[in-house]
Amino acid sequence: MNHLGSIPGGMATLRLAADGDGIAEGARLLAAGLLVALPTETVYGLGADATDARAVAAVFSAKERPRFNPLIAHVANLDAAKREGLFDRAALALAEAFWPGPLTLVVPASEHGTVCELARAGLPSVALRIPGSEIARRLLADFGRPVAAPSANRSGRVSPTSAAHVLADLDGRIAAIIDGGPAPVGVESTVVACLGGRPRLLRPGGVTREAIEQVLGSHLAGPKGVPTAGPLSPGMLASHYAPRASVRLDAVSIAPGEAALLFGKNRPSGVEEAVADIDLSPSGDLAEAAAGLFAALRRLDASGAATIAVVPIPRSGLGEAINDRLERAAAPR
Ligand code: TXA
Ligand code: MG
């Protein structure tokens, strides 16, 4: 084990079952400052003790993240969240409506908070989430401290929605993974900042804008489905979630040699000639499409096609997060 808390390359990553023993072992490894990939309902996270700057630094090196973006601190319950951050009325209403679940709240960091500066990237705010996955919450409860966890992929790659995806990127670079099966939501959490004034949407995700605005009784500030690289949310860089193939959006026809990402009954011309094709949801269900999005991008990438052509996907509801991720995958790199 090196000083960064990761393990030397070539050493196997422990596969832990999502049972009492596996979760207890995961908590023990986290307490030793090591990295443990954990299932959440959105995507798999690369977990580290959020109070330990050395463990958090190991997350950045395992991911080969070029910069220290602020990370989400995952907590087991609302009491733990309130120890770390200051919740105004809007934040409390959103926490009560959507936690546990795919919503991250960026709130002012509490003076007595334990999330280290590195996990907050030196910001006076902290990003908090109670994950919907029961396995993740049992790990958090066992561990007893917040767990910093970005998506468990190498920097710039597609987020992992299964243990196999995590191992494809990080085997031998992290101490362990808890295998909780496929992630049911499939896109990352929605990130909303409650820092005084109107709550702001920093990243569309697993909770829809419409559902959040209904709880708030007002509109969210922030970008409407357009990729931005605003300083507020450093993780929102335009080029992100990138497969190796280039990505072409709003395809009405498929060129020879392209792979096709389809949705609903939409059959673009030339699809018979595609190197590979996957329909995210033949019935046109956006939740089903979100759940399968990242796995589909990985599989189409593995087909060897130079380009993945994507048909138009509706922008309502979860379509906002799906289109956001696809626009990032298509952004120039
Ligand atoms: O679903 C998810 O959110 C997954 C699972 C593992 O929980 N995690 C995830 O983490 O997607 P990550 O690190 O890939 O994305 C965290 C997002 C980034 O967009 C980051 O900029 C934003 O949260 N963020 C974190 N702390 C922030 C802060 N203090 N202010 C503004 N944005 C913040
Ligand atoms: Mg990520």
Side-chain angles (χ1 to χ4, degrees):
M1 181 186 332
N2 68 31
H3 70 287
L4 284 176
S6 57
I7 53 178
M11 207 185 264
T13 294
L14 268 177
R15 276 73 160 166
L16 301 174
D19 57 15
D21 287 349
I23 289 168
E25 178 66 4
R28 201 188 61 72
L29 293 167
L30 286 172
L34 299 178
L35 304 185
V36 177
L38 63 143
T40 86
E41 78 281 27
T42 56
V43 301
Y44 274 70
L46 178 53
D49 180 348
T51 71
D52 176 350
R54 282 211 325 201
V56 172
V59 169
F60 292 105
S61 57
K63 279 183 69 91
E64 296 176 350
R65 235 188 216 192
R67 302 186 326 174
F68 290 160
N69 295 332
L71 304 180
I72 297 167
H74 298 72
V75 291
N77 53 52
L78 191 54
D79 283 342
K82 285 178 174 167
R83 277 196 290 277
E84 301 301 332
L86 305 174
F87 285 69
D88 63 12
R89 269 179 57 193
L92 207 53
L94 294 176
E96 278 165 359
F98 298 111
W99 280 355
L103 175 71
T104 293
L105 293 170
V106 173
V107 297
S110 144
E111 205 185 322
H112 308 291
T114 64
V115 175
C116 67
E117 289 244 342
L118 182 58
R120 293 188 282 108
L123 295 168
S125 54
V126 62
L128 296 165
R129 172 161 116 82
I130 304 177
S133 156
E134 204 184 313
I135 298 161
R137 289 205 308 281
R138 282 171 59 198
L139 177 68
L140 292 165
D142 252 28
F143 179 52
R145 293 200 282 271
V147 169
S151 51
N153 52 282
R154 290 221 203 170
S155 187
R157 300 226 187 130
V158 174
S159 293
T161 53
S162 73
H165 295 165
V166 175
L167 291 168
D169 275 15
L170 298 174
D171 198 5
R173 303 175 66 89
I174 61 177
I177 177 168
I178 299 175
D179 188 345
V185 175
V187 290
E188 296 87 344
S189 60
T190 305
V191 182
V192 173
C194 297
L195 297 170
R198 185 186 284 268
R200 179 172 291 272
L201 181 65
L202 298 183
R203 177 179 76 180
V207 177
T208 65
R209 168 197 293 276
E210 292 87 337
I212 292 169
E213 291 180 341
Q214 185 161 13
V215 168
L216 292 174
S218 62
H219 286 296
L220 284 163
K224 214 171 179 140
V226 187
T228 17
L232 257 179
S233 196
M236 291 191 72
L237 293 172
S239 171
H240 210 75
Y241 308 101
R244 285 184 189 81
S246 66
V247 174
R248 185 167 71 80
L249 300 180
D250 295 322
V252 291
S253 63
I254 309 298
E258 286 186 328
L261 187 60
L262 309 172
F263 178 81
K265 295 191 177 54
N266 194 335
R267 295 280 120 191
S269 63
V271 69
E272 314 74 34
E273 308 291 329
V275 174
D277 63 278
I278 296 178
D279 194 331
L280 288 173
S281 173
S283 68
D285 175 355
L286 288 166
E288 182 184 21
L293 175 65
F294 290 138
L297 286 173
R298 281 179 186 255
R299 273 175 46 211
L300 294 179
D301 216 13
S303 76
T307 301
I308 299 171
V310 186
V311 304
I313 296 175
R315 292 181 171 273
S316 57
L318 284 174
E320 184 173 7
I322 293 169
N323 279 287
D324 172 77
R325 301 308 185 271
L326 286 170
E327 280 156 12
R328 287 169 208 285
R333 333 167 188 144

